[in-house]
Amino acid sequence: MKKSLITLQARPATIIEFPLYDAPPRTIFTITDGIPDGVWLDKANGLLYWTNMGNLTDQKEEFAAKDGSIQCCDLNGEQHRILVGNGAVTTPKQLTGDPEHGFLYWCDREGMAVMRCRMDGTGLETLVRRGRNEQDRLEVERHCVGIALDTSRQHIYWTQKGPAKGGKGRIFRAGINIPEGQTADNRTDITLLLDQLPEPIDLEFGAVSGRLYWTDRGAPPNGNSLNSATIAGDGRLINHHVLVTGLQEGIGLTVDEKDNKAYVTDLGGYIREVNLATDRQSVLRQQGPTTGITLLTDA
C-alpha cells in the first residue's frame, strides 16, 4: 500500500504531497489569499478541504479580520472552490469531516466558535460559541483551535489553547448536535476534560484504540509535544501520556492506528513520524513552516 502525507506549508502558502515511498514531493495547489491551517481529505470523492486563516493584520491583532475561508480542490489542484467566506468566519483552524452525514467541522480561533457546514458549503452553523464581542476576543482562553469527532458516541472534542506558553490550555467535549431548546451560547452539555495544559493545538480521535491524540506547542518540559489519553467508558480522559517532545512549535497531526504511526508537523517545517508502540520519532522531511497534515493511501 502506498501512503502519502498531504501537508499545508504556511510560507510560501502551498499544499504539498509528500509520498512515503520512492517518489518526489509535488505541489498540489498554490494558495494566494492567506495562510492555510487545517486540511481534511474526502477520500471517496478525491477532494481536499482546507481552512484559510486569511491575512495577518499585525503582530498584536493576529488574525482579527473576518477574512477567513473554507476551500476545496481535487488532488490535482483543480475544481477549486471557496465554500465559506465573505465575512462568515474569522480564523478557521483545524478541520475535520463526517462524510457519512456530509458535514465539515472546524474551530474558528478569533471567532471563538466551533462550527460546521455541509460539504458543499451550505448550512453554515455555529455549534459552540465561547464569546461574541471584541473584549471577549482579547481573552485568548476563549480561542478554539483543534477539533476531532467521535461519531460512534456522537461527540465533538476541541481545544482552547490559552495564552502562548501559558499553561492554561484546555480540552472540551460536547454532543455533535446542540440539545433541543438550547443554543451555541447556552448549551449545557459542554464538559471540561483536561485543563492546565501547556498550549494544546490539533486533535485526532483514534477510533481503533478509543484514544484522543493532540499536539501541544507550549513550553517545555511537557509542551512542544505529542500527547494521548484514553477516553474512559464514562467519557473522562484518563492515562494522559506525553509521547514525544522536542517539536519546534508543534501544530498538525494525523494518526494511522492500523500502522501504529502518527505524523506531526511544526512551524520549524519538520514532518515527523512517531511510532506509537515505542514512542520513537524520526524526521521525514523539512520544508517551510507547516501547519495541517492528513494521510492519503491508495487502499
mmCIF file of all heavy atoms in Angstrom, residues 84-110:
data_model
loop_
_atom_site.group_PDB
_atom_site.id
_atom_site.type_symbol
_atom_site.label_atom_id
_atom_site.label_comp_id
_atom_site.label_asym_id
_atom_site.label_seq_id
_atom_site.Cartn_x
_atom_site.Cartn_y
_atom_site.Cartn_z
ATOM 1 N N VAL A 84 -16.930 28.636 2.079
ATOM 2 C CA VAL A 84 -17.390 29.548 3.136
ATOM 3 C C VAL A 84 -16.407 30.709 3.179
ATOM 4 O O VAL A 84 -15.196 30.491 3.206
ATOM 5 C CB VAL A 84 -17.450 28.848 4.510
ATOM 6 C CG1 VAL A 84 -17.886 29.836 5.594
ATOM 7 C CG2 VAL A 84 -18.384 27.644 4.481
ATOM 8 N N GLY A 85 -16.914 31.927 3.184
ATOM 9 C CA GLY A 85 -16.065 33.116 3.236
ATOM 10 C C GLY A 85 -16.927 34.349 3.357
ATOM 11 O O GLY A 85 -17.969 34.328 4.007
ATOM 12 N N ASN A 86 -16.479 35.440 2.757
ATOM 13 C CA ASN A 86 -17.260 36.684 2.737
ATOM 14 C C ASN A 86 -17.685 37.133 4.137
ATOM 15 O O ASN A 86 -18.820 37.550 4.358
ATOM 16 C CB ASN A 86 -18.486 36.529 1.836
ATOM 17 C CG ASN A 86 -18.114 36.283 0.389
ATOM 18 O OD1 ASN A 86 -17.209 36.910 -0.138
ATOM 19 N ND2 ASN A 86 -18.799 35.344 -0.251
ATOM 20 N N GLY A 87 -16.757 37.030 5.096
ATOM 21 C CA GLY A 87 -17.036 37.501 6.446
ATOM 22 C C GLY A 87 -17.765 36.531 7.335
ATOM 23 O O GLY A 87 -18.106 36.867 8.479
ATOM 24 N N ALA A 88 -17.982 35.301 6.869
ATOM 25 C CA ALA A 88 -18.727 34.324 7.676
ATOM 26 C C ALA A 88 -17.860 33.690 8.754
ATOM 27 O O ALA A 88 -18.383 33.179 9.752
ATOM 28 C CB ALA A 88 -19.318 33.246 6.778
ATOM 29 N N VAL A 89 -16.535 33.677 8.557
ATOM 30 C CA VAL A 89 -15.615 33.107 9.540
ATOM 31 C C VAL A 89 -14.427 34.048 9.699
ATOM 32 O O VAL A 89 -14.081 34.796 8.780
ATOM 33 C CB VAL A 89 -15.134 31.695 9.137
ATOM 34 C CG1 VAL A 89 -16.249 30.685 9.288
ATOM 35 C CG2 VAL A 89 -14.605 31.673 7.710
ATOM 36 N N THR A 90 -13.795 33.973 10.853
ATOM 37 C CA THR A 90 -12.670 34.861 11.153
ATOM 38 C C THR A 90 -11.346 34.150 10.921
ATOM 39 O O THR A 90 -10.614 34.458 9.984
ATOM 40 C CB THR A 90 -12.763 35.378 12.597
ATOM 41 O OG1 THR A 90 -14.045 35.970 12.810
ATOM 42 C CG2 THR A 90 -11.687 36.420 12.875
ATOM 43 N N THR A 91 -11.026 33.188 11.772
ATOM 44 C CA THR A 91 -9.745 32.487 11.695
ATOM 45 C C THR A 91 -9.973 30.989 11.815
ATOM 46 O O THR A 91 -9.699 30.394 12.859
ATOM 47 C CB THR A 91 -8.781 32.952 12.809
ATOM 48 O OG1 THR A 91 -8.869 34.361 12.958
ATOM 49 C CG2 THR A 91 -7.351 32.554 12.498
ATOM 50 N N PRO A 92 -10.488 30.339 10.781
ATOM 51 C CA PRO A 92 -10.708 28.896 10.886
ATOM 52 C C PRO A 92 -9.391 28.146 11.022
ATOM 53 O O PRO A 92 -8.416 28.439 10.330
ATOM 54 C CB PRO A 92 -11.434 28.550 9.588
ATOM 55 C CG PRO A 92 -11.061 29.637 8.634
ATOM 56 C CD PRO A 92 -10.880 30.870 9.472
ATOM 57 N N LYS A 93 -9.391 27.170 11.897
ATOM 58 C CA LYS A 93 -8.157 26.444 12.236
ATOM 59 C C LYS A 93 -8.273 24.976 11.812
ATOM 60 O O LYS A 93 -8.503 24.705 10.649
ATOM 61 C CB LYS A 93 -7.878 26.593 13.732
ATOM 62 C CG LYS A 93 -7.639 28.051 14.161
ATOM 63 C CD LYS A 93 -6.336 28.595 13.619
ATOM 64 C CE LYS A 93 -5.143 28.056 14.365
ATOM 65 N NZ LYS A 93 -3.864 28.595 13.829
ATOM 66 N N GLN A 94 -8.132 24.041 12.741
ATOM 67 C CA GLN A 94 -8.170 22.640 12.330
ATOM 68 C C GLN A 94 -9.539 22.283 11.755
ATOM 69 O O GLN A 94 -10.581 22.786 12.196
ATOM 70 C CB GLN A 94 -7.845 21.701 13.501
ATOM 71 C CG GLN A 94 -7.621 20.265 13.036
ATOM 72 C CD GLN A 94 -7.327 19.303 14.169
ATOM 73 O OE1 GLN A 94 -7.462 19.620 15.346
ATOM 74 N NE2 GLN A 94 -6.918 18.086 13.819
ATOM 75 N N LEU A 95 -9.518 21.386 10.775
ATOM 76 C CA LEU A 95 -10.715 20.994 10.029
ATOM 77 C C LEU A 95 -10.816 19.478 10.018
ATOM 78 O O LEU A 95 -9.813 18.779 9.893
ATOM 79 C CB LEU A 95 -10.596 21.511 8.594
ATOM 80 C CG LEU A 95 -11.658 21.120 7.577
ATOM 81 C CD1 LEU A 95 -12.908 21.961 7.790
ATOM 82 C CD2 LEU A 95 -11.124 21.336 6.161
ATOM 83 N N THR A 96 -12.037 18.954 10.160
ATOM 84 C CA THR A 96 -12.268 17.526 10.006
ATOM 85 C C THR A 96 -13.617 17.324 9.332
ATOM 86 O O THR A 96 -14.365 18.280 9.134
ATOM 87 C CB THR A 96 -12.190 16.793 11.362
ATOM 88 O OG1 THR A 96 -12.175 15.376 11.135
ATOM 89 C CG2 THR A 96 -13.360 17.153 12.270
ATOM 90 N N GLY A 97 -13.924 16.094 8.972
ATOM 91 C CA GLY A 97 -15.162 15.847 8.262
ATOM 92 C C GLY A 97 -15.867 14.593 8.726
ATOM 93 O O GLY A 97 -15.265 13.682 9.308
ATOM 94 N N ASP A 98 -17.161 14.552 8.451
ATOM 95 C CA ASP A 98 -18.002 13.387 8.694
ATOM 96 C C ASP A 98 -18.658 13.048 7.359
ATOM 97 O O ASP A 98 -19.769 13.497 7.065
ATOM 98 C CB ASP A 98 -19.048 13.708 9.763
ATOM 99 C CG ASP A 98 -20.020 12.566 9.995
ATOM 100 O OD1 ASP A 98 -19.828 11.484 9.409
ATOM 101 O OD2 ASP A 98 -20.985 12.757 10.760
ATOM 102 N N PRO A 99 -17.969 12.268 6.515
ATOM 103 C CA PRO A 99 -18.502 12.008 5.176
ATOM 104 C C PRO A 99 -19.815 11.245 5.187
ATOM 105 O O PRO A 99 -20.627 11.393 4.267
ATOM 106 C CB PRO A 99 -17.385 11.213 4.500
ATOM 107 C CG PRO A 99 -16.580 10.630 5.618
ATOM 108 C CD PRO A 99 -16.661 11.624 6.739
ATOM 109 N N GLU A 100 -20.040 10.420 6.209
ATOM 110 C CA GLU A 100 -21.284 9.643 6.259
ATOM 111 C C GLU A 100 -22.503 10.551 6.301
ATOM 112 O O GLU A 100 -23.536 10.284 5.681
ATOM 113 C CB GLU A 100 -21.276 8.717 7.473
ATOM 114 C CG GLU A 100 -22.536 7.869 7.589
ATOM 115 C CD GLU A 100 -22.521 6.949 8.786
ATOM 116 O OE1 GLU A 100 -21.486 6.895 9.496
ATOM 117 O OE2 GLU A 100 -23.539 6.277 9.028
ATOM 118 N N HIS A 101 -22.387 11.654 7.057
ATOM 119 C CA HIS A 101 -23.511 12.579 7.189
ATOM 120 C C HIS A 101 -23.319 13.857 6.373
ATOM 121 O O HIS A 101 -24.183 14.725 6.367
ATOM 122 C CB HIS A 101 -23.720 12.927 8.670
ATOM 123 C CG HIS A 101 -24.071 11.730 9.499
ATOM 124 N ND1 HIS A 101 -23.131 11.057 10.252
ATOM 125 C CD2 HIS A 101 -25.252 11.077 9.678
ATOM 126 C CE1 HIS A 101 -23.718 10.044 10.866
ATOM 127 N NE2 HIS A 101 -24.993 10.027 10.539
ATOM 128 N N GLY A 102 -22.152 13.979 5.719
ATOM 129 C CA GLY A 102 -21.944 15.078 4.785
ATOM 130 C C GLY A 102 -21.639 16.419 5.407
ATOM 131 O O GLY A 102 -22.044 17.453 4.870
ATOM 132 N N PHE A 103 -20.854 16.425 6.527
ATOM 133 C CA PHE A 103 -20.538 17.678 7.190
ATOM 134 C C PHE A 103 -19.031 17.898 7.301
ATOM 135 O O PHE A 103 -18.252 16.945 7.439
ATOM 136 C CB PHE A 103 -21.115 17.714 8.608
ATOM 137 C CG PHE A 103 -22.597 17.968 8.670
ATOM 138 C CD1 PHE A 103 -23.479 16.924 8.920
ATOM 139 C CD2 PHE A 103 -23.108 19.239 8.478
ATOM 140 C CE1 PHE A 103 -24.847 17.145 8.978
ATOM 141 C CE2 PHE A 103 -24.472 19.474 8.544
ATOM 142 C CZ PHE A 103 -25.348 18.434 8.789
ATOM 143 N N LEU A 104 -18.632 19.163 7.275
ATOM 144 C CA LEU A 104 -17.293 19.606 7.644
ATOM 145 C C LEU A 104 -17.386 20.310 8.995
ATOM 146 O O LEU A 104 -18.348 21.040 9.252
ATOM 147 C CB LEU A 104 -16.744 20.595 6.621
ATOM 148 C CG LEU A 104 -16.608 20.120 5.184
ATOM 149 C CD1 LEU A 104 -16.288 21.306 4.279
ATOM 150 C CD2 LEU A 104 -15.527 19.045 5.064
ATOM 151 N N TYR A 105 -16.382 20.110 9.843
ATOM 152 C CA TYR A 105 -16.332 20.736 11.165
ATOM 153 C C TYR A 105 -15.000 21.447 11.321
ATOM 154 O O TYR A 105 -13.961 20.944 10.882
ATOM 155 C CB TYR A 105 -16.444 19.681 12.269
ATOM 156 C CG TYR A 105 -17.784 18.991 12.362
ATOM 157 C CD1 TYR A 105 -18.124 17.967 11.477
ATOM 158 C CD2 TYR A 105 -18.701 19.350 13.341
ATOM 159 C CE1 TYR A 105 -19.358 17.325 11.561
ATOM 160 C CE2 TYR A 105 -19.934 18.713 13.439
ATOM 161 C CZ TYR A 105 -20.252 17.704 12.541
ATOM 162 O OH TYR A 105 -21.473 17.071 12.629
ATOM 163 N N TRP A 106 -15.008 22.604 11.994
ATOM 164 C CA TRP A 106 -13.764 23.313 12.271
ATOM 165 C C TRP A 106 -13.925 24.223 13.485
ATOM 166 O O TRP A 106 -15.029 24.496 13.940
ATOM 167 C CB TRP A 106 -13.327 24.143 11.060
ATOM 168 C CG TRP A 106 -14.240 25.281 10.715
ATOM 169 C CD1 TRP A 106 -14.182 26.566 11.174
ATOM 170 C CD2 TRP A 106 -15.385 25.230 9.839
ATOM 171 N NE1 TRP A 106 -15.196 27.324 10.639
ATOM 172 C CE2 TRP A 106 -15.946 26.530 9.821
ATOM 173 C CE3 TRP A 106 -15.978 24.222 9.090
ATOM 174 C CZ2 TRP A 106 -17.071 26.834 9.065
ATOM 175 C CZ3 TRP A 106 -17.096 24.524 8.340
ATOM 176 C CH2 TRP A 106 -17.636 25.818 8.332
ATOM 177 N N CYS A 107 -12.781 24.666 13.990
ATOM 178 C CA CYS A 107 -12.759 25.681 15.045
ATOM 179 C C CYS A 107 -12.374 27.021 14.423
ATOM 180 O O CYS A 107 -11.525 27.083 13.532
ATOM 181 C CB CYS A 107 -11.756 25.316 16.136
ATOM 182 S SG CYS A 107 -12.362 24.092 17.297
ATOM 183 N N ASP A 108 -13.009 28.089 14.893
ATOM 184 C CA ASP A 108 -12.694 29.449 14.474
ATOM 185 C C ASP A 108 -12.047 30.137 15.675
ATOM 186 O O ASP A 108 -12.721 30.452 16.653
ATOM 187 C CB ASP A 108 -13.972 30.173 14.044
ATOM 188 C CG ASP A 108 -13.715 31.550 13.453
ATOM 189 O OD1 ASP A 108 -12.641 32.124 13.725
ATOM 190 O OD2 ASP A 108 -14.595 32.067 12.742
ATOM 191 N N ARG A 109 -10.743 30.348 15.585
ATOM 192 C CA ARG A 109 -9.986 30.805 16.761
ATOM 193 C C ARG A 109 -10.449 32.171 17.254
ATOM 194 O O ARG A 109 -11.055 32.283 18.326
ATOM 195 C CB ARG A 109 -8.486 30.835 16.447
ATOM 196 C CG ARG A 109 -7.622 31.108 17.682
ATOM 197 C CD ARG A 109 -6.153 31.060 17.334
ATOM 198 N NE ARG A 109 -5.774 32.133 16.414
ATOM 199 C CZ ARG A 109 -4.621 32.165 15.756
ATOM 200 N NH1 ARG A 109 -3.748 31.180 15.877
ATOM 201 N NH2 ARG A 109 -4.336 33.181 14.954
ATOM 202 N N GLU A 110 -10.170 33.230 16.478
ATOM 203 C CA GLU A 110 -10.594 34.555 16.916
ATOM 204 C C GLU A 110 -12.112 34.714 16.870
ATOM 205 O O GLU A 110 -12.665 35.609 17.503
ATOM 206 C CB GLU A 110 -9.918 35.641 16.079
ATOM 207 C CG GLU A 110 -8.538 36.061 16.600
ATOM 208 C CD GLU A 110 -7.427 35.129 16.153
ATOM 209 O OE1 GLU A 110 -7.715 34.072 15.545
ATOM 210 O OE2 GLU A 110 -6.251 35.430 16.408
#
